[in-house]
Amino acid sequence: MNEAHNIGLEFLQRMDAYLRQNLHSLSCGDICNIYLTFWENLKNFRGTSEGFTGLAEFLIFRVLYHLLEEESGAFFPQSIGQLIKFVNNNFQIGQNLPINIGNRRKRPDIVIYRNNPADLIILQ
């Protein structure tokens, strides 16, 4: 069973390394095509790609993560209950983190803010 676990980990590591290595040459269209090609290939295995979520958010999150890391230094994981946010001297970035917007509590796909929470950037 270890081999099966390693396949998923290897996929994530290889995709992340590819994004990091090509950070300044990939266009938004290229990232979209990575997703669309995966989506099309998935149909060959399942007959559909309906109900498959998360890859687009992963791709965008990791590109933003690497851009911010390049600008302001390494991120360190910080647990928030069952979730993890990544923190460095200037930024915090995470996915599905709970935030308050006015009177409402939301969990956007991607949250970025400078270490001052007033400078919040939300990507949904």
Side-chain angles (χ1 to χ4, degrees):
M1 190 61 124
N2 250 356
E3 184 180 352
H5 295 166
N6 291 339
I7 292 169
L9 177 60
E10 183 181 335
F11 167 76
L12 294 171
Q13 289 172 334
R14 287 184 62 195
M15 183 60 73
D16 187 55
Y18 177 83
L19 294 171
R20 185 177 351 99
Q21 290 165 2
N22 297 284
L23 191 59
H24 295 288
S25 62
L26 288 171
S27 69
C28 290
D30 293 332
I31 295 168
C32 183
N33 284 330
I34 291 169
Y35 173 77
L36 291 175
T37 300
F38 187 89
W39 185 76
E40 285 295 324
N41 289 332
L42 187 59
K43 286 198 279 186
N44 294 328
F45 285 88
R46 297 181 58 216
T48 181
S49 56
E50 185 69 30
F52 179 79
T53 61
L55 182 60
E57 291 85 355
F58 171 77
L59 296 171
I60 294 167
F61 178 83
R62 294 308 292 182
V63 166
L64 293 170
Y65 176 98
H66 291 304
L67 286 169
L68 293 171
E69 183 176 54
E70 189 176 81
E71 177 183 319
S72 61
F75 280 100
F76 300 96
Q78 188 177 82
S79 293
I80 305 173
Q82 293 180 348
L83 300 173
I84 295 174
K85 67 179 177 179
F86 300 89
V87 179
N88 68 18
N89 291 330
N90 296 311
F91 294 99
Q92 296 184 35
I93 183 171
Q95 289 196 259
N96 203 31
L97 299 176
I99 60 168
N100 294 320
I101 300 177
N103 297 359
R104 297 179 56 175
R105 191 138 174 102
K106 296 209 172 213
R107 295 176 86 84
D109 290 335
I110 300 172
V111 175
I112 303 168
Y113 57 87
R114 294 193 185 275
N115 282 330
N116 175 0
D119 296 333
L120 181 65
I121 302 166
I122 302 168
L123 302 173
Q124 291 187 340

